[in-house]
Amino acid sequence: MRWGAAALAALGVAAGTLAGASGAAAADGGLPLENVEQLAQGVQYGQFTVAAGHGTVHGHLLSVDLRDPHVRVDLLTPGAVAARGQVSALADARHAIGAVNGDFFDIDESQHPGVDPTGSSDGPEIGSGRDLKAAVPDAQRFGPAMPPGETTHDVLGVGVDRRARLDRLDLAGRIRTAKGTYQLGGYNQYALPQGGIGAYTAGWGTVSRERAVCGSDTSRAAGCSTDTYEVAVRHGRVASVADTPGSGPIAADTTVLLGREAGADTLRTLHVGDRVGVAAHLAPTATRVPYTFAVGGFPILRDGQPLAGLDVKTAATRTAAGFGDGGRTLYLMALDGSAESGAGLTIAELSAVMRELGADDAVNLDGGGSTTLVTRGPADPASVVRNHPTGGAERAVANAVGIFSTAP
């Protein structure tokens, strides 16, 4: 093991109790794996058992060799940013050979009666090299508390150089009109900053954009703004305006601009026929290498060290993604549901386990009832759920991390 017994014990992981079947293969970091299967060249599935502070935990691991030219990783989505699907269905739709659920998402709007949940994720999304959405304000996110200094802009991604990285993706966007140039505050996201303007494209889907003007920069539970304005831009000109957020499909040649408070005031200066230019892209802060894939998740392990301030008390069913070997090996991990295992991992324990599995850097993904890992071997007609999801059935989720192979 790369971590000493004292370090593991400090994080609540019992170092002498890692269990593996006789003759089982071992993960790069030292945790022995049971029931190992080669799903394809460069892609391996295995199981592990670890004794943690709240009991024995059973987990499932996909290991991906990104150096293999037959292997690639991409974001799986239901076809729209504001939509949900089960991981097995998302994987089968794209013929992935393995997948885990991804980012936390807008799952409940009981704090805003009459407003429907969008199903959209907290963080940025890049799929097949395309920017799909930007991050919501930190105070508007779903999920457990992030470590100090982290943000909804944090992602794990794989670049065109086939290396995995931790990064932050910031929205770089502008609206240009005859009256001036204005900053874009959102892109296909379920919550806008106060006073901001968001852009929505066909990729958003058909769900109402009303949720985008609810909450505040300090509270997800804050009420919905009534000071709103929406402008539809088609082929570079204002095609229509409205006082309230709309719903329904957005045409491929149209971008809808939605403003709240000061942003609404800016949009009210526009009239049908006015020229408007809208530009938006996700700008990485750690590299100039373009990403083919990125998913939101908060870091728990960086350069082989756990982040300061990780939760050491709350155990739960967890999903995580990480990488080692200089970004050349990707690890996707999911635990069995707490109802089946009777235990879970704290975020601090999750960091330690990902390190033992071989990761030097890792993020926490959506857990609890969302935690799902699926595989599809050469003889499988469809994806098989390998872990035991909490509640006994898959939850529909916003996105997933999919593994693909073109190996013969």
Side-chain angles (χ1 to χ4, degrees), residues 136-150:
V136 302
D138 288 349
Q140 294 259 30
R141 66 180 292 273
F142 287 77
M146 298 181 289
E150 303 310 312

Side-chain angles (χ1 to χ4, degrees), residues 73-259:
V73 180
D74 202 0
L75 190 72
L76 304 179
T77 73
V81 166
R84 295 166 59 187
Q86 294 182 334
V87 175
S88 60
L90 300 181
D92 287 343
R94 293 276 302 277
H95 306 290
I97 63 170
V100 297
N101 65 288
D103 197 3
F104 294 89
F105 58 94
D106 175 20
I107 189 174
D108 175 62
E109 287 300 328
S110 56
Q111 296 168 319
H112 304 115
V115 176
D116 293 330
T118 65
S120 175
S121 67
D122 289 355
E125 292 182 355
I126 294 178
S128 301
R130 294 177 55 244
D131 296 346
L132 301 179
K133 70 174 295 289
V136 302
D138 288 349
Q140 294 259 30
R141 66 180 292 273
F142 287 77
M146 298 181 289
E150 303 310 312
T151 171
T152 54
H153 297 232
D154 290 319
V155 297
L156 182 147
V158 176
V160 295
D161 60 353
R162 303 179 62 82
R163 285 182 181 268
R165 295 177 176 85
L166 298 187
D167 208 337
R168 289 184 176 177
L169 297 179
D170 297 329
L171 176 62
R174 294 288 186 273
I175 303 166
R176 294 180 175 84
T177 75
K179 298 176 175 65
T181 299
Y182 309 96
Q183 183 176 358
L184 197 61
Y187 180 68
N188 283 341
Q189 60 199 58
Y190 70 77
L192 294 176
Q194 289 177 270
I197 300 173
Y200 294 82
T201 68
W204 168 254
T206 62
V207 174
S208 171
R209 295 175 289 278
E210 182 180 12
R211 173 58 184 88
V213 299
C214 299
S216 71
D217 293 347
T218 58
S219 172
R220 195 180 76 210
C224 301
S225 176
T226 57
D227 183 6
T228 64
Y229 204 72
E230 196 170 79
V231 172
V233 179
R234 182 176 299 120
H235 297 303
R237 290 186 180 273
V238 175
S240 63
V241 299
D243 291 324
T244 57
S247 63
I250 299 173
D253 61 357
T254 300
T255 298
V256 173
L257 299 176
L258 173 59

Side-chain angles (χ1 to χ4, degrees), residues 316-342:
T317 306
R318 306 288 183 185
T319 307
F323 56 86
D325 223 7
R328 296 300 195 185
T329 304
L330 181 70
Y331 301 99
L332 304 177
M333 191 282 297
L335 300 181
D336 279 340
S338 56
E340 286 75 19
S341 67

Side-chain angles (χ1 to χ4, degrees), residues 245-291:
S247 63
I250 299 173
D253 61 357
T254 300
T255 298
V256 173
L257 299 176
L258 173 59
R260 57 180 296 181
E261 298 94 32
D265 290 340
T266 297
L267 294 182
R268 289 189 186 102
T269 66
L270 300 176
H271 303 91
V272 173
D274 286 355
R275 288 188 176 276
V276 179
V278 182
H281 75 278
L282 298 177
T285 61
T287 182
R288 294 186 178 181
V289 178
Y291 284 100

Side-chain angles (χ1 to χ4, degrees), residues 35-95:
N35 304 320
V36 174
E37 301 174 22
Q38 198 74 25
L39 297 178
Q41 180 179 307
V43 182
Q44 178 182 278
Y45 163 78
Q47 302 175 25
F48 64 90
T49 303
V50 62
H54 293 263
T56 300
V57 176
H58 191 65
H60 304 258
L61 181 71
L62 287 165
S63 304
V64 185
D65 183 359
L66 297 176
R67 289 166 293 201
D68 192 308
H70 296 100
V71 175
R72 67 182 179 90
V73 180
D74 202 0
L75 190 72
L76 304 179
T77 73
V81 166
R84 295 166 59 187
Q86 294 182 334
V87 175
S88 60
L90 300 181
D92 287 343
R94 293 276 302 277
H95 306 290

